[in-house]
Amino acid sequence: MAGIRVGTAGWTDKSLIDSGRFYPPSAKTPEDRLRFYASQFPIVEIDSSYYGIPTEANALLWVERTPPEFVFNVKAYRLFTRHQTPVASLAKEIRAALGPLPKANVYDEDVPAEIQLDLWRRFRAVLEILRASGKLGAVHFQFAPWVAFHPKSFDHIEHCRAMLAGFRLAIEFRNRSWFDGDKHTARTLAFERDNGLVNVVVDEPQGIANTIPAVWELTDPGLSVVRLHGRNHGTWNKKGLTSSAQRFNYDYDERELTEVAQNVTTLSRRADIVHVLFNTNYQDQGQRAARMLNGILHAKKLE
């Protein structure tokens, strides 16, 4: 299992902390919780970076509080992935540079190019700290559901790659058009290979417009990323939810994870490293599933 790292998308979810089912009572501070998490798993996805670009000070603390071999994948800021972005999520000086706006949310096209460049610079500075420590895995781009298979989308992804030249980008789509039929699938995978992008394999509900199939293909021989969102059809697009923990409320069972383990093992024979991250973040669902998958993978290794 040296080439397979299993963990979760985040370690600070409110429902996880409030559940009392993962962290010991002694883990009362953010430092305590990250140190404990890193004693249980070798990798985590930083998802708070989707909601706002982290500070360099926070990045230094993450490095300091984890062991030398620990790995962080970093989720790209939502403006970069063409999601609706609250103006309030921008740094104070960025908001001042934008000036008064008629709406509370913006998209990338609403933000002047020079300010976008400043945002990329700030994000890159955080990544540089993690990379310098040897703890940066991939930068995870989960594109908005309206980012469809279209020339403008290909151009935007190439722009993201250029803005983070030298970093490894992992690409996750939320629009079925990218893998709609053999022709689109082949074109999408070829584009990722040609641009050195990691194809993110997803496990999520099927038959929904803003989900994609699990495409167990390798586009970067150095890394494969598998992201598990659960299979809860009922909550995927449900209105009125107060947190992502409600949307991804799903308990994987042993049969499902045994199937995942088989696919991950097969993938690991072709990739140098495989990252497996559970985004089922209601209470301790992700941590329990990650432990179960680790057990199954370990048992398969001993067979």
Side-chain angles (χ1 to χ4, degrees), residues 4 44 89 195-196 204 257 288:
I4 303 174
V44 76
S89 72
N195 285 279
E204 59 194 20
L257 291 181
R288 282 189 283 109

Side-chain angles (χ1 to χ4, degrees), residues 52-103:
I53 296 176
T55 64
E56 293 178 48
N58 265 349
L60 288 167
L61 289 175
W62 292 333
V63 169
E64 176 189 310
R65 294 169 178 176
T66 50
E69 68 281 0
F70 193 77
V71 170
F72 292 97
N73 283 1
V74 183
K75 195 171 182 181
Y77 181 47
R78 61 195 300 164
L79 191 80
F80 303 152
T81 51
R82 301 209 144 162
H83 286 85
Q84 185 182 66
T85 302
V87 174
S89 72
L90 298 165
K92 182 179 179 181
E93 56 272 25
I94 296 290
R95 296 198 304 272
L98 279 172
L101 294 171
K103 50 190 177 180

Side-chain angles (χ1 to χ4, degrees), residues 251-261 289 292-293 295-296 299:
D251 265 316
Y252 281 95
D253 62 31
E254 186 173 3
R255 177 188 60 81
E256 292 168 329
L257 291 181
T258 297
E259 180 184 357
V260 170
M292 186 185 298
L293 180 62
I296 295 169

Side-chain angles (χ1 to χ4, degrees), residues 12 34 50 52 58 65 90-92 112-113 149 152 160 172 190 205 208 212 216 218 226 231 234-235 274:
T12 62
L34 180 53
Y50 168 79
N58 265 349
R65 294 169 178 176
L90 298 165
K92 182 179 179 181
F149 185 97
K152 289 184 178 179
C160 293
E172 178 180 349
I208 303 173
I212 63 171
W216 293 88
L218 186 67
V226 180
R231 302 174 183 180
T235 58
V274 181

Side-chain angles (χ1 to χ4, degrees), residues 86-140:
V87 174
S89 72
L90 298 165
K92 182 179 179 181
E93 56 272 25
I94 296 290
R95 296 198 304 272
L98 279 172
L101 294 171
K103 50 190 177 180
N105 298 298
V106 294
Y107 292 90
D108 62 321
E109 61 190 13
D110 300 320
V111 179
E114 64 273 17
I115 293 181
Q116 288 194 45
L117 286 173
D118 190 22
L119 290 170
W120 281 110
R121 180 191 62 76
R122 290 165 184 252
F123 188 59
R124 188 179 179 102
V126 171
L127 299 179
E128 292 284 9
I129 290 170
L130 295 174
R131 180 164 66 177
S133 72
K135 295 183 180 183
L136 179 64
V139 187
H140 182 83

Side-chain angles (χ1 to χ4, degrees), residues 243-273:
S243 73
S244 64
Q246 294 175 306
R247 188 176 312 283
F248 304 117
N249 182 355
Y250 189 80
D251 265 316
Y252 281 95
D253 62 31
E254 186 173 3
R255 177 188 60 81
E256 292 168 329
L257 291 181
T258 297
E259 180 184 357
V260 170
Q262 291 169 346
N263 287 323
V264 167
T265 300
T266 300
L267 203 56
S268 72
R269 297 189 182 112
R270 294 185 289 131
D272 294 339
I273 302 171

Side-chain angles (χ1 to χ4, degrees), residues 8 27 44 84 89 110 143 156 223 251 297 303:
T8 64
V44 76
Q84 185 182 66
S89 72
D110 300 320
F143 287 99
H156 179 67
L223 177 66
D251 265 316
L297 288 167
E303 289 178 355

